[in-house]
Amino acid sequence: MTGVSLSPAPSSPLALDPRVWQLWGKADPTRASEGGPEWHPLLCHVLDVVACAERLLVHMRPDRLDALAAAIALPPEGALPWLLLFVALHDLGKATPPFQVKVPGRADALRALGLDFPERDEPHGSLSAVLTTKALAEYGVPSRLARWVARSVGAHHGEFASLGKLALLEQQKGILLPVYAGKEPLWSLLRTHLVQALAGACGISSSMPRPAVPSATTTRHAFTADLAGLTTVADWLGSNADVFKYVEPPASPAEYLALAQARAVEALDSAGWRRPPQPPIRTFRDLFEKDPWPLHEAIEKLLPALRSPSLMIIEAPMGEGKTEAALTIFDALAARGATGLYFALPTQATSNQIFGRVERFIRAAFPGETHGLHLVHGDAGLSERYGGLKARAFAMRSIDGVARGKGGPVADAWFARSKRALLAPLAVGTVDQALLGVLGVRHGFLRLHGLAGKVVVIDEVHAYDTYTSELLDRLLSWLGALGTTVVLLSATLPAARREALVRAYGAAPAAPTTYPRITVATEGAASSVSFPGRRAPIPVSLVWQPAPALPERLAEALAGGGCAVWIVNTVRRAQQTYLALRDLRDRGLLPADLDLGLLHARFPFDARAARERAAEESFGPGEANRPRAALLVGTQVLEQSLDLDFDLMISELAPVDLVLQRAGRLHRHARQNPRPSAVQRPALWLVRPEGDERSEGPTFGGSALIYDESVLLRSWLALCDRTEVVLPTDIEPLIEVVYGGAAPQVSAELAARLAQMNRDSEERERNEGNQARAIELAAPDADDPFDGLARVVEDEDPSLHRSLRAKTRLGEPSIEVVPVFDRGGRVVLAGAPDVVLDLEAREPLPHRIVVAAARQAVGISHRAVVAALLHGRVPPSFEASGHLRFHRVLRLDDAGRTTVAGVPLTLDPELGLVVGSLDTPDDATPQETSACPRPNAPASI
């Protein structure tokens, strides 16, 4: 939508009361020392915000103007004045005694004008929600629409006022109680003149069409969330006092508006706001300079008829190019007006990996163009790649504030805060960041507004438990209502889950075609198409190995060389396995030159990152650094976070979809150097569970603390008699056998055990679903989805009771600790002893110290340890430092040991953080249940 601009309507027949200029909107005594006024008139501040909203709608997010206009049944040029007036009224509640009294000098001046100040306090957002209803009704806005708009713009500080709260503030609809509105009639008169001035500045005239009530409930609530987000963004930008400098009362609103419009251009530019990429229509070959694979050819055939918004579900085995397919879809829809991309992954590690790929894609696909690209998760600030983009953005503006350079991705600091990051046109991060949009967190609606109209890609969509899946379904319903195209990627998606995702988006499921497939849902209807795999089916030898025999057989298999991986289900088991293998190598029972490694999530951040880089160098697609003989021991971090290729795999039993996911790391890449003869065929050795010869089936030890035991048993039944699996041919049949619900043919004893497990599992799933529904935003077709979220909570603080936190995942609570040593009265980082921490400092630590401390942090999820640390003292310097404010200090002795809540903790440079004793089995320590980062385990968002 182009050609829309803001121009003031002719002056109102009633002259503006000059006393309106005496109401303040922003105040800062330090401004006087800079030679300017100490306060900024309320009318000026609101016009600053209006100018920013206009700039956003017309030049940066015209898609939101089109969507908001369509919701109120007006063309964009006719809707713009009304939308700007809606935004302008967000601070009408500041024209009340509870707000104006906050600056004593201004309150005295207003008392001299005859205004009274009843002693009653109330946030101005709630007061705006009441006053705006009446103000809009007087301009002919339908009363129902006026009410929704008032609550929407009044939520700009992060939360919607509840209907009950608004009723308490009103003596009748739209009329504020005198204890809040002021008893002197002059208060009402000044507010009337303020609204009149704003309506004139926004271009409202008596002859223009009035907005209509949105025809559908879903449309109405999408409009409400979208408008709340727009208002918040415009208010933040318009509150930048370095750009919108405080002024003395000007001659007229029109005169000041022209100044505000010029300043809005500067405000958005300095913040890094840019139009999203608008590429020409191009092909896969244009984008990637290589021939498309079958998946990409299928996508290109679908794209010409694809309408926005749509849901696309791509189900394909590992290595079929799903990431490139998603980027192809984004590029095609960006050419048609989609306003950006959010690529959501299940973990921080996968986010970091895809961030690099997306950065390279943007750089190559848009040469010479500068676009903002952000990494969005709790540890994004520790990414060196992301830090480089932030430094590049700073350098481009460091001379005169004007963006310079030769194009390429940058990361402007304004978007680097978690609440703002999804407003950036291009971002990669965890799915949790998007899920917060449908939870009761402050400014959750801002995340929905940021995702509206974009292409949202969610990878590994099969990887979530019932709780998180319920939140994901609710997110899909809102994204569909907001006009967002969603692309879901999965290698192993059960049919029932696929149908649930389609329904969540608001469409009827399609009859599935054969796997691999693409499902498309648009305007309530879905269809499905199949495509061939890019490679011939690969048979993978499946061998059940008894645990005691594994070292000897492994030594035989690797005698001639080869790269193997051993994946276990818990960190403790990984540490125990590594130590046992190291001992065998030292005793000569494994090849002496065997390169033995360990990778799990309980290493400090820096150490884990270094180990991940080393793994990719050794086991990635390249040949130069591939060792002759190597064995990497790890947990679920090896399932999906890294592009690794092994000759041989040993794995503990896991749910069948994860076993298949792990198997996708076998012979993943074509190799120039031939694989050793003993491992020339891909082979998966599964560790035989104890008791698998019993009539009632095996036991699963510590794995049953991580995964649903009924799924483990069904997975064992599906695989126990097999000698091979063929990828991708067997993926869908095995998934449906385990998750499809059909009862397997087993002994009576095993059937009884499985039936009880299934009952327990169903009860657990009901409880998880109910927990999610208790904290999530209601669906967009509900009567009033925002009323239940009137009370918002902190989304990061681990000390807040789990019943109060808005969590995106279930699981035991976890906490990040910073290990330190005491060295001669100084506290130093255990992993970087040259860095000294002043824990008692009352001011924030220097940025380099914060980053260094955060890069040495490690997560703990042991229940007793977490509880003890949460009740401990937080160092003042951590409380003052944003990134560390929820971290705790872990004081170690010279050997790297300590005890917390009776639990021994050891930070070992080779093993990572050891919790408890490694002499005890997993199932003997039920408090340590997380093999982080399982996608459905607690994760730093």
Side-chain angles (χ1 to χ4, degrees):
M1 193 284 304
T2 59
V4 178
S5 61
L6 172 63
S7 57
S11 298
S12 171
L14 293 178
L16 178 65
D17 190 318
R19 290 174 290 184
V20 169
W21 295 112
Q22 298 304 307
L23 299 173
W24 67 275
K26 292 288 180 180
D28 182 358
T30 63
R31 296 283 161 179
S33 64
E34 301 171 2
E38 294 184 6
W39 60 280
H40 195 46
L42 174 59
L43 181 50
C44 292
H45 166 64
V46 174
L47 291 176
D48 296 337
V49 175
V50 166
C52 290
E54 179 205 12
R55 184 77 182 166
L56 287 167
L57 288 173
V58 177
H59 297 280
M60 301 298 167
R61 298 294 305 274
D63 66 302
R64 301 332 305 149
L65 175 55
D66 292 345
L68 291 166
I72 55 177
L74 289 173
E77 61 273 13
L80 181 61
W82 288 109
L83 295 173
L84 295 177
L85 178 60
F86 297 164
V87 171
L89 296 178
H90 79 287
D91 268 352
L92 187 54
K94 286 185 175 180
T96 59
F99 183 83
Q100 293 296 315
V101 78
K102 294 180 184 296
V103 176
R106 296 309 310 145
D108 291 342
L110 294 173
R111 286 190 182 94
L113 296 178
L115 293 170
D116 63 310
F117 286 85
E119 293 183 4
R120 189 70 67 93
D121 193 20
E122 181 64 31
H124 70 269
S126 300
L127 302 181
S128 292
V130 176
L131 294 170
T132 296
T133 302
K134 181 175 182 292
L136 290 177
E138 291 176 351
Y139 276 81
V141 176
S143 59
R144 284 197 300 159
L145 178 59
R147 191 76 165 175
W148 299 325
V149 167
R151 286 182 73 200
S152 180
V153 300
H156 62 280
H157 282 287
E159 55 188 301
F160 285 87
S162 70
L163 296 179
K165 174 67 171 294
L166 295 179
L168 290 174
L169 299 177
E170 295 174 339
Q171 55 185 356
Q172 54 181 296
K173 281 195 174 183
I175 306 298
L176 199 60
L177 286 168
V179 291
Y180 301 109
K183 298 177 182 178
E184 291 295 330
L186 182 56
W187 280 112
S188 179
L189 177 66
L190 294 182
R191 286 192 291 267
T192 298
H193 278 252
L194 176 64
V195 173
Q196 178 180 277
L198 292 173
C202 293
I204 302 296
S205 67
S206 59
S207 61
M208 63 193 310
R210 267 44 183 168
V213 176
S215 57
T217 301
T218 297
T219 304
R220 177 178 81 215
H221 293 141
F223 172 87
T224 300
D226 214 0
L227 180 62
L230 169 69
T231 304
T232 301
V233 177
D235 185 45
W236 284 349
L237 291 166
S239 298
N240 182 353
D242 292 330
V243 175
F244 296 97
K245 299 183 185 300
Y246 293 1
V247 298
E248 299 289 349
S252 68
E255 175 187 284
Y256 184 77
L257 178 61
L259 174 62
Q261 289 172 316
R263 287 177 168 178
V265 175
E266 179 187 353
L268 269 70
D269 182 70
S270 63
W273 275 89
R274 300 176 180 86
R275 287 292 293 268
Q278 296 177 296
I281 296 175
R282 46 192 177 179
T283 65
F284 178 91
R285 192 174 283 101
D286 295 332
L287 287 173
F288 298 101
E289 297 183 344
K290 64 181 182 180
D291 291 336
W293 295 339
L295 167 58
H296 311 135
E297 292 174 338
I299 289 293
E300 290 194 312
K301 290 178 182 177
L302 291 171
L303 284 175
L306 186 67
R307 288 174 293 216
S308 186
S310 294
L311 171 71
M312 300 186 75
I313 304 176
I314 300 176
E315 298 172 74
M318 299 66 71
E320 287 290 329
K322 293 190 288 292
T323 299
E324 290 87 350
L327 294 174
T328 301
I329 294 167
F330 156 68
D331 191 76
L333 295 182
R336 303 182 207 168
T339 55
L341 169 72
Y342 184 60
F343 210 124
L345 289 305
T347 66
Q348 292 184 3
T350 47
S351 301
N352 293 341
Q353 183 192 29
I354 293 297
F355 182 72
R357 295 178 66 178
V358 171
E359 183 202 356
R360 292 190 293 271
F361 169 79
I362 297 300
R363 194 181 299 278
F366 303 96
E369 299 182 22
T370 300
H371 294 293
L373 173 63
H374 288 264
L375 180 62
V376 195
H377 59 63
D379 286 332
L382 307 184
S383 165
E384 294 180 0
R385 183 183 294 272
Y386 185 41
L389 295 191
K390 289 193 284 188
R392 188 167 181 269
F394 178 78
M396 287 172 59
R397 299 176 182 277
S398 61
I399 299 175
D400 54 10
V402 178
R404 303 182 185 280
K406 297 181 180 180
V410 296
D412 295 279
W414 192 88
F415 292 96
R417 296 183 181 180
S418 61
K419 289 183 180 181
R420 299 176 182 173
L422 296 189
L423 297 169
L426 305 169
V428 178
T430 57
V431 70
D432 309 76
Q433 294 292 337
L435 294 177
L436 287 172
V438 292
L439 294 181
V441 299
R442 190 171 298 278
H443 288 114
F445 58 80
L446 191 65
R447 289 178 164 88
L448 294 178
H449 171 73
L451 296 173
K454 292 181 177 175
V455 176
V456 173
V457 181
I458 304 177
D459 199 2
E460 307 287 359
V461 74
H462 60 276
Y464 304 104
D465 62 8
T466 302
Y467 175 89
T468 305
S469 294
E470 167 63 30
L471 300 181
L472 179 58
D473 291 352
R474 185 54 46 85
L475 176 65
L476 291 180
S477 69
W478 277 94
L479 293 180
L482 287 161
T484 302
T485 291
V486 181
V487 181
L488 305 179
L489 309 178
S490 178
T492 54
L493 189 63
R497 186 71 192 116
R498 178 178 61 253
E499 293 176 1
L501 292 165
V502 171
R503 288 194 182 94
Y505 197 74
T513 54
T514 57
Y515 178 91
R517 69 175 70 84
I518 304 168
T519 302
V520 181
T522 305
E523 296 180 349
S527 59
S528 178
V529 297
S530 296
F531 58 92
R534 74 179 181 93
R535 296 179 294 186
I538 300 174
V540 175
S541 174
L542 187 64
V543 183
W544 289 92
Q545 298 278 17
L550 272 171
E552 179 180 351
R553 295 178 184 177
L554 190 59
E556 294 174 358
L558 297 180
C563 295
V565 63
W566 191 326
I567 302 179
V568 297
N569 295 335
T570 67
V571 173
R572 176 185 301 276
R573 187 72 59 83
Q575 293 167 329
Q576 292 169 328
T577 302
Y578 174 83
L579 286 177
L581 292 169
R582 189 185 68 179
D583 179 64
L584 291 172
R585 185 188 61 182
D586 294 345
R587 289 161 48 198
L589 300 179
L590 287 174
D593 65 343
L594 182 70
D595 186 352
L596 187 60
L598 177 64
L599 180 58
H600 56 71
R602 217 189 289 142
F603 283 101
F605 183 93
D606 259 355
R608 175 180 166 182
R611 287 170 179 265
E612 288 178 348
R613 287 193 298 270
E616 288 188 302
E617 290 175 1
S618 296
F619 309 114
E623 302 284 353
N625 298 311
R626 194 169 179 87
R628 188 198 77 83
L631 175 58
L632 179 62
V633 179
T635 57
Q636 294 90 335
V637 296
L638 299 173
E639 284 174 12
Q640 54 195 347
S641 59
L642 303 170
D643 182 12
L644 306 179
D645 172 18
F646 297 100
D647 303 318
L648 172 68
M649 176 176 291
I650 305 99
S651 174
E652 287 188 319
L653 181 66
V656 70
D657 50 327
L658 301 185
V659 171
L660 296 171
Q661 189 82 16
R662 295 174 184 183
R665 268 62 185 162
L666 278 168
H667 293 227
R668 184 180 179 94
H669 298 293
R671 309 219 69 88
Q672 296 177 354
N673 300 325
R675 300 177 194 269
S677 57
V679 289
Q680 283 195 349
R681 288 192 60 206
L684 171 62
W685 295 359
L686 288 174
V687 182
R688 179 178 293 167
E690 294 183 7
D692 63 347
E693 75 286 348
R694 302 181 311 161
S695 60
E696 65 270 28
T699 58
F700 302 106
S703 296
L705 301 174
I706 305 299
Y707 303 116
D708 186 317
E709 193 171 7
S710 69
V711 175
L712 287 175
L713 184 54
R714 284 179 170 272
S715 298
W716 175 77
L717 289 169
L719 297 172
C720 64
D721 294 327
R722 283 180 168 264
T723 58
E724 74 172 19
V725 292
V726 180
L727 302 178
T729 308
D730 289 335
I731 289 179
E732 185 164 50
L734 285 170
I735 294 295
E736 292 309 315
V737 164
V738 173
Y739 293 100
Q745 298 297 315
V746 295
S747 68
E749 296 91 341
L750 186 52
R753 181 184 175 206
L754 184 58
Q756 182 59 52
M757 285 182 178
N758 288 338
R759 287 191 292 271
D760 294 342
S761 179
E762 290 168 2
E763 179 65 21
R764 185 165 51 253
E765 289 180 0
R766 278 194 296 272
N767 289 338
E768 289 184 8
N770 289 336
Q771 288 181 67
R773 285 184 283 274
I775 66 169
E776 69 185 359
L777 181 67
D781 60 356
D783 288 341
D784 189 349
F786 305 106
D787 201 47
L789 291 186
R791 178 179 171 278
V792 298
V793 299
E794 174 61 70
D795 58 285
E796 297 176 332
D797 188 353
S799 66
L800 199 63
H801 190 275
R802 67 171 60 190
S803 65
L804 300 178
R805 285 189 72 192
K807 300 196 307 180
T808 57
R809 312 193 189 199
L810 287 182
E812 292 298 324
S814 61
I815 192 169
E816 295 285 318
V817 299
V818 178
V820 301
F821 292 140
D822 288 313
R823 291 283 188 266
R826 299 188 308 168
V827 176
V828 302
L829 293 176
D834 57 323
V835 178
V836 179
L837 295 178
D838 184 357
L839 298 179
E840 300 306 315
R842 296 291 171 178
E843 63 277 356
L845 294 169
H847 177 70
R848 64 176 184 84
I849 301 295
V850 172
V851 171
R855 294 189 71 88
Q856 294 302 319
V858 60
I860 299 179
S861 60
H862 189 290
R863 193 180 310 152
V865 174
V866 171
L869 290 172
L870 288 177
H871 284 91
R873 178 174 177 266
V874 182
S877 63
F878 276 26
E879 286 187 321
S881 302
H883 195 91
L884 299 176
R885 68 188 188 278
F886 298 134
H887 287 52
R888 298 296 191 272
V889 170
L890 190 67
R891 294 180 180 270
L892 304 173
D893 63 17
D894 290 343
R897 296 187 297 253
T898 190
T899 300
V900 178
V903 179
L905 304 174
T906 304
L907 184 62
D908 186 291
E910 196 172 358
L911 299 177
L913 184 66
V914 179
V915 178
S917 170
L918 294 181
D919 295 331
T920 57
D922 285 351
D923 49 0
T925 55
Q927 288 189 322
E928 183 69 30
T929 61
S930 176
C932 295
R934 263 294 289 143
N936 60 1
S940 174
I941 59 177

